[in-house]
Amino acid sequence: MDMEFSPEDLAFQQEVRQFIAENYPPELRERQDEGEEMSKEDFLSWHRILHKKGWVAPAWPVEYGGTGWTPTQRFIWSEETARADCIRLMPFGLAMVGPVIYTFGTPEQKAHFLPRILSGEDWWCQGYSEPGSGSDLASLRTTAVRDGDDYIVNGQKTWTTLAQHADWGFFLVRTDKDAKQQEGISFLLIDMKSPGITVRPIITLGGEHEVNEVWLEDVRVPQSQRVYEENKGWTCAKFLLAHERTGIAGVAASKRAIEKVKDIARTEVDGDKPLLANAFFKRKIAELEIDLTALEFTELRSLAGPNANRGPGPESSLLKIKGSEIQQRLTELALEAVGHYGAPYFRGFGEGDNQHPIGPDYAHRAAPTYFNTRKTTIYGGSNEIQRNIIAKMVLGL
Amino acid sequence: MDFTYTETQDMIRDTLSRFLADTYDFETRQKFTASDAGRDPGIWQALAQELGMLGAAFTEEQGGLGGGALENAIVMEELGKVLGIEPYLPTVVIGGGALKAVGGAQADAMIPEIIAGNAIIAFAYAEPQGRYDLANLRTTAKKDGAGYVLNGHKGVVYAAPWATHLLVTARTGGGQRERDGVSLFLIDANLPGVVRRDYPTVDGSRASEIYFENVAVPGDALLGGEGTGLALIEQIVDEATIATCAEATGVMQKLHEGTLEYTQQRKQFGVPIAKFQVLQHRMVDMFMEVEQARSMTIMGVLKLGLPANERMAAVSAAKAKVSRGANFVGQNAVQTHGGIGITQELAIGHYFKRATMIEGQFGSHDYHLERYERLTLGE
Ligand SMILES: Cc1cc2nc3c(=O)[nH]c(=O)nc-3n(C[C@H](O)[C@H](O)[C@H](O)COP(=O)(O)OP(=O)(O)OC[C@H]3O[C@@H](n4cnc5c(N)ncnc54)[C@H](O)[C@@H]3O)c2cc1C
C-alpha cells in the first residue's frame, strides 16, 4: 500500500495541467470569476473541448469512448480540474444515462445515443421524482400504456434539473399497475421536443432557475426507446442511483472550496488581524479539513482498495452523506466570513458602480450559494434515506 | 418573581397579531417586498395611527403606552412570525432607545414624530472593515464651527432607502479602534452629501451603502457627549440584539410549526413522514431550540438594566444561543421539507433566509461566545 504518484502519474499530472492552461476558455473563466450564472453554452463550451481531446468521459469503458485511465489518473484528473476551477460537466448524460445505456441498452441505442452524449449534442435531464414520489420513488405514478409500437405516457415529474435546456430525458414510468411497486416500472428515453411535454420553472431560494416541473400529456414514445426489459426499469434506476451517489462526494471540489474560504478569511479583517487568525474561525476550517481528509481516504479506499472493481455499493451512501455535509459547511463558513455583506441580494439589479461598491466581489453569491447548497442533503436520495440504506444494507439492521 | 405578562402586554400582542394576520399574509408580503418601494407604507401608518403600536415602548409622558424592552420584544416577535420588514427595530428600538437614553430637547422633538409614524430611522453603524466591532470606525465627524462635517462609508444599512433620519456612529477623535472618540449623531437622511446606493436584501428587506461626502450636520445632531458615545451605542445595540432575539423566536416558531404541519400532511412510503422517528426527534430538537430562544430572550430583556458588563454578558449569552438555534431550526425545517423547502414557493424557505440573516445580525454566534468568555472568564 502506498499513496505515491509514479513517474508516469506525475507526467500525466503535468500533461493535464498544461492542457487546462492552454485550452480552458478565457471568456468562461472571466464569467465564472464574476460570479455569473452559467448558461447552457458555458457548460457546453468546456464539454466540447474535452470531447475533442477524448477526455470527456474518463469513467466510461474504452470501447464506448472512455479514456482507459487508472483510478490514480482519474483521481489526478478530478483534482486538477477542481484546482483550476473548471466548470463541472453536466452529469445527466455522462454520469447517469450514459452508463445505463452502455450497461443495459440495445446495440442501436448505444450506437445512437452514446456518441451524442460524448459530443454534447444532446443535453439530458432526469425524470424520476414526482410531486407524490420523492424519497419513495417506487411509488411513482406516471404511466406508459402500449399503443402499437409506441407507449403513450401521462403524468407529472418534478425537480427536473435544467430540463429547460434538455433535448432528451430519461424517465421512470409505470408500465404495470398491478405488479408490486418496483416491478412495474420501465426506463424510457424521451425526446423533450415531443408533443405533449410542458416544462415549467421552479425558482429556488437563491433566485435560480435550476429545477422544473415537467408535464407529460399523451406523449408518444417508441418502444425502441425503452432501455432494458419492460417492467425491469428499477434495475437501471438502482444501478444509476448508486453511481449518482459516488460522484456526489465531491472531494476535489470541496478541497478547492476550502482554499477559497481561506482566501476570503485572509482578506476579511477581524480587529487588527485577518479573520483567518480568529481562533474560532480557524478551528472550524481545521475541523473541515480533517473531515474532508477522512472523506478523501474513505473514497480512495473504495476506489483503489480490494473491492475496487466491484462497482459502487451501499457504502457509497457514506460518501454521499459526508460529502454533502462538508459542502454545506463550506458554504456556511463562506457566508459567515463575509459578515454583513452576506445580506445584499444581487440578482437582477443594476451594473456595478465602482465608486460606490457594495462589498467585496467574493461576498456577492455567498448567501444564495449557502441557500442553494441545502439541496445536497436532499437530492440524490436524502441523507435520511442514505442512513436508512446503511442501516439496512451495511449494518444489516 | 413573576414571568407573566400584564394585561396591556397581552393586549399589545393580540392587537398586533390580529392586525398582521389581516395585512401581512405571505402572498401580500411577497408582493410589496418585490415592489419598487419594497414596502407598503400604509402598514407603518396603520401601526402608528390605528394601533398606536409605535408608542408601545415609550412612557406615557412621551405619548406612549408606558412600556420598554419587553414591549419591544413582544412587537418584534410578532413581526418575526410574519417576516415583517417594518423598520420597527431601527426606528423604535434603536433610534427611540437612543433618544430615551439622552432625553432633553432632541428626545422631545423626535419621539412624537416616531410615535406618529412620521419618522423612520435607519442605523448607520457597520463599516466594511469593522465586522461586529462597534468602535472600529473610519467614518469621521470633524468639528466645524457650531456643527460637524461627516465623511465615511457605512455598509448594509437596513431600511435606509425608507429613512427620514439616519443614526450615525462616527469618530470625533481617537484611533480607528479606540473606545474614546466615538460619537453618535441623528441626522436628516437627505442632507447634501449623503450618497446612497440602495438594494434589496436576501431576506426580503431593503438596505443601502451610505457614503458621507462632506456632509455638514448641525451641532444639535450630536446625541450624548462628544467622544464618549460608545457606552450609549453599546447599550442600544444590546437592546437591539435582544429585540432581534425576540424576532428570531417568532421566525423559529413559524419554522417549527410549518414543519410539524407539513410532515403530518406529506406522505411517503404510505405514511405521513412525521411517523418516521428520526424526523420526530429532529422536530423535538427544533422545539427545544424554540423554547430556549424564548427563554433567553426573556432573560436578556430582564437583564438589560444591569451594569454594563453583566448586561453585555447576558445579551451575548442570549444571542449566542439564539444564533445557533436559528441555524439549527432553519436548516432542519428545510431538510425536513425535502425539495419543496428550497424553493421560493413556500413561506418556509423565506423564514429560513431570515433566520440565516439573524444569525449574524449584531454579531455571530462566535462573536458573542467570545464576548461572553471575555466578560465572564477573563481575557
Ligand atoms: C435542487 C434539486 C435538484 C433535483 N434534481 C432532480 C432531477 O434532476 N431529477 C429528479 O428526478 N429528481 C431531482 N430532485 C429530486 C430529489 O431527488 C428529491 O427531492 C428527493 O428524492 C427527496 O424527495 P422529496 O423532495 O419529495 O422529499 P420527501 O421524500 O417528501 O422527504 C421529505 C423529508 O422526509 C424525509 N424522509 C422521507 N422518507 C423517510 C424515511 N423513510 N425515513 C426518514 N426520513 C424520511 C426526507 O429525508 C426529507 O427530509 C432534485 C431535488 C433538488 C432539491
Side-chain angles (χ1 to χ4, degrees):
Chain A
M1 202 179 288
D2 73 75
M3 48 172 289
E4 301 305 317
F5 288 160
S6 66
E8 296 78 39
D9 291 335
L10 290 169
F12 175 75
Q13 187 180 44
Q14 273 317 308
E15 187 190 352
V16 169
R17 281 189 189 168
Q18 194 178 344
F19 176 78
I20 296 171
E22 288 169 3
N23 292 282
Y24 199 77
E27 327 72 76
L28 178 56
R29 167 86 57 227
E30 208 170 290
R31 286 171 46 71
Q32 282 175 280
D33 288 347
E34 280 163 12
E36 307 256 341
E37 205 172 340
M38 294 290 107
S39 66
K40 181 174 186 176
E41 226 6 75
D42 288 327
F43 285 112
L44 283 175
S45 61
W46 180 229
H47 182 119
R48 291 197 195 101
I49 290 165
L50 291 176
H51 173 243
K52 226 172 102 199
K53 174 79 176 166
W55 283 1
V56 82
W60 289 22
V62 181
E63 52 178 317
Y64 299 119
T67 52
W69 289 342
T70 62
T72 312
Q73 285 177 310
R74 277 163 60 186
F75 172 78
I76 291 171
W77 172 248
S78 54
E79 288 273 300
E80 293 303 323
T81 46
R83 224 176 54 108
D85 280 330
C86 297
I87 192 169
R88 72 196 175 104
L89 298 180
M90 278 297 117
F92 303 104
L94 290 169
M96 297 185 182
V97 77
V100 168
I101 292 175
Y102 66 64
T103 308
F104 298 100
T106 61
E108 294 74 27
Q109 288 169 343
K110 292 181 194 174
H112 179 75
F113 289 110
L114 297 180
R116 297 164 65 97
I117 292 172
L118 291 171
S119 69
E121 191 170 345
D122 291 336
W123 182 294
W124 283 84
C125 67
Q126 178 185 27
Y128 278 25
S129 307
E130 298 182 4
S133 305
S135 298
D136 183 14
L137 185 58
S139 69
L140 61 92
R141 284 160 48 179
T142 296
T143 56
V145 177
R146 277 179 186 250
D147 181 52
D149 291 338
D150 298 334
Y151 288 111
I152 306 291
V153 181
N154 277 289
Q156 188 200 340
K157 295 292 177 179
T158 191
W159 311 123
T160 326
T161 299
L162 298 180
Q164 71 267 35
H165 301 326
D167 304 295
W168 283 83
F170 53 98
F171 287 80
L172 291 181
V173 297
R174 188 159 299 289
T175 36
D176 183 351
K177 282 189 189 163
D178 302 324
K180 272 203 277 174
Q181 276 194 345
Q182 278 92 334
E183 287 163 18
I185 292 172
S186 299
F187 192 100
L188 296 188
L189 311 178
I190 303 183
D191 183 343
M192 293 297 285
K193 286 174 220 70
S194 310
I197 293 188
T198 314
V199 177
R200 289 193 202 140
I202 302 175
I203 304 302
T204 44
L205 283 182
E208 309 85 1
H209 175 194
E210 180 178 317
V211 287
N212 302 274
E213 292 178 323
V214 176
W215 302 75
L216 303 109
E217 274 174 277
D218 291 329
V219 179
R220 195 163 273 282
V221 181
Q223 283 180 35
S224 61
Q225 285 166 209
R226 189 192 67 235
V227 179
Y228 204 47
E229 293 164 38
E230 192 174 72
N231 298 329
K232 290 278 164 62
W234 195 250
T235 310
C236 306
K238 269 203 319 207
F239 163 87
L240 192 154
L241 278 176
H243 262 263
E244 187 183 343
R245 270 165 216 150
T246 12
I248 250 163
V251 171
S254 288
K255 277 193 195 169
R256 176 70 190 120
I258 287 195
E259 292 312 312
K260 286 190 180 169
V261 176
K262 282 195 213 160
D263 282 344
I264 295 175
R266 278 188 199 101
T267 313
E268 286 288 319
V269 283
D270 176 43
D272 56 356
K273 291 199 225 68
L275 178 62
L276 195 55
N278 175 298
F280 288 72
F281 200 84
K282 197 162 59 175
R283 171 149 304 172
K284 282 189 277 201
I285 296 268
E287 281 175 342
L288 251 171
E289 283 192 356
I290 291 168
D291 285 349
L292 186 54
T293 305
L295 177 67
E296 179 178 23
F297 276 76
T298 307
E299 185 174 42
L300 290 176
R301 272 173 59 220
S302 82
L303 291 178
N307 296 327
N309 296 323
R310 214 191 47 194
E315 67 277 10
S316 61
S317 293
L318 188 165
L319 302 178
K320 198 270 166 166
I321 293 172
K322 289 297 157 190
S324 57
E325 288 174 355
I326 287 170
Q327 287 157 18
Q328 292 184 336
R329 280 160 64 196
L330 276 162
T331 62
E332 195 169 337
L333 269 191
L335 178 58
E336 194 180 324
V338 304
H340 299 288
Y341 283 101
Y345 184 51
F346 282 83
R347 181 171 294 273
F349 75 96
E351 276 294 298
D353 160 1
N354 289 335
Q355 226 113 54
H356 303 108
I358 305 173
D361 285 351
Y362 56 68
H364 292 188
R365 292 215 35 89
T369 302
Y370 168 71
F371 298 144
N372 185 273
T373 306
R374 301 317 302 172
K375 71 188 174 190
T376 62
T377 48
I378 294 169
Y379 66 21
S382 75
N383 283 20
E384 287 78 13
I385 294 298
Q386 303 299 345
R387 284 185 166 89
N388 288 349
I389 292 173
I390 296 179
K392 203 164 150 191
M393 311 294 288
V394 181
L395 308 185
L397 299 174
Chain B
M1 197 176 303
D2 178 11
F3 281 76
T4 57
Y5 292 96
T6 64
E7 255 172 58
T8 316
Q9 288 162 346
D10 283 335
M11 192 250 332
I12 289 172
R13 175 184 289 107
D14 293 345
T15 316
L16 182 56
S17 122
R18 249 180 285 126
F19 170 76
L20 293 174
D22 291 340
T23 51
Y24 238 100
D25 63 281
F26 178 64
E27 307 294 316
T28 311
R29 180 215 185 244
Q30 290 314 89
K31 252 187 232 129
F32 63 67
T33 55
S35 69
D36 283 347
R39 68 192 272 258
D40 172 359
I43 294 177
W44 189 250
Q45 282 312 310
L47 282 174
Q49 306 291 340
E50 289 169 31
L51 280 74
M53 203 50 69
L54 304 187
F58 294 101
T59 63
E60 277 156 26
E61 301 82 75
Q62 287 162 333
L65 301 179
L70 191 51
E71 283 68 15
N72 277 337
I74 292 170
V75 172
M76 289 297 291
E77 184 177 337
E78 292 308 311
L79 285 173
K81 287 181 191 164
V82 296
L83 292 177
I85 51 141
E86 303 308 312
Y88 187 87
L89 180 80
T91 304
V92 177
V93 180
I94 299 174
L99 289 163
K100 280 194 280 187
V102 298
Q106 292 154 315
D108 292 344
M110 269 305 282
I111 288 176
E113 293 298 304
I114 292 176
I115 295 176
N118 299 331
I120 290 180
I121 300 173
F123 185 33
Y125 72 106
E127 297 190 4
Q129 81 290 344
R131 284 191 94 70
Y132 306 119
D133 181 356
L134 301 169
N136 190 330
L137 299 174
R138 286 189 186 148
T139 298
T140 55
K142 260 221 176 90
K143 193 99 198 165
D144 183 43
Y148 297 86
V149 175
L150 283 179
N151 275 291
H153 169 201
K154 296 290 181 176
V156 199
V157 185
Y158 269 72
W162 310 322
T164 56
H165 293 77
L166 300 174
L167 186 65
V168 186
T169 61
R171 285 215 162 269
T172 41
Q176 191 183 308
R177 295 171 49 234
E178 267 175 48
R179 285 193 65 87
D180 283 342
V182 177
S183 303
L184 185 63
F185 297 88
L186 183 62
I187 68 167
D188 188 319
N190 296 309
L191 289 177
V194 176
V195 177
R196 256 183 22 228
R197 243 193 113 183
D198 301 345
Y199 45 81
T201 60
V202 293
D203 49 355
S205 192
R206 296 292 162 101
S208 312
E209 297 302 291
I210 299 185
Y211 293 84
F212 299 105
E213 297 175 354
N214 294 314
V215 180
V217 308
D220 65 2
L222 178 72
L223 293 190
E226 183 185 292
T228 56
L230 191 62
L232 169 62
I233 294 165
E234 285 172 340
Q235 183 195 321
I236 58 173
V237 169
D238 277 349
E239 290 166 6
T241 306
I242 291 302
T244 303
C245 291
E247 182 194 354
T249 306
V251 171
M252 289 161 70
Q253 183 184 323
K254 286 305 234 184
L255 282 162
H256 181 244
E257 285 173 2
T259 304
L260 281 184
E261 202 179 302
Y262 183 77
T263 54
Q264 289 176 78
Q265 148 217 324
R266 169 72 172 168
K267 282 190 179 160
Q268 288 290 278
F269 304 100
V271 294
I273 58 174
K275 290 274 175 240
F276 299 126
Q277 200 164 44
V278 67
L279 297 191
Q280 289 178 356
H281 285 190
R282 193 88 50 82
M283 289 186 280
V284 169
D285 289 339
M286 290 165 74
F287 165 74
M288 295 194 290
E289 289 301 331
V290 179
E291 284 303 307
Q292 293 178 89
R294 182 163 285 123
S295 305
M296 289 306 256
T297 301
I298 286 174
M299 182 281 294
V301 165
L302 296 177
K303 294 194 176 187
L304 277 174
L306 296 183
N309 276 2
E310 288 170 65
R311 181 198 74 219
M312 287 198 274
V315 169
S316 280
K319 186 62 183 10
K321 187 77 191 154
V322 169
S323 286
R324 266 284 160 84
N327 177 286
F328 180 84
V329 172
Q331 290 184 351
N332 282 296
V334 170
Q335 179 66 22
T336 311
H337 275 74
I340 195 80
I342 71 149
T343 72
Q344 307 258 32
E345 286 170 18
L346 287 197
I348 208 84
H350 298 267
Y351 281 94
F352 167 58
K353 292 202 254 187
R354 180 65 197 131
T356 302
M357 288 300 115
I358 285 176
E359 274 181 58
Q361 200 173 337
F362 301 119
S364 63
H365 169 265
D366 285 1
Y367 169 85
H368 281 288
L369 196 57
E370 204 171 4
R371 192 171 87 156
Y372 182 87
E373 286 178 1
R374 196 167 359 99
L375 289 165
T376 61
L377 307 167
E379 292 287 337

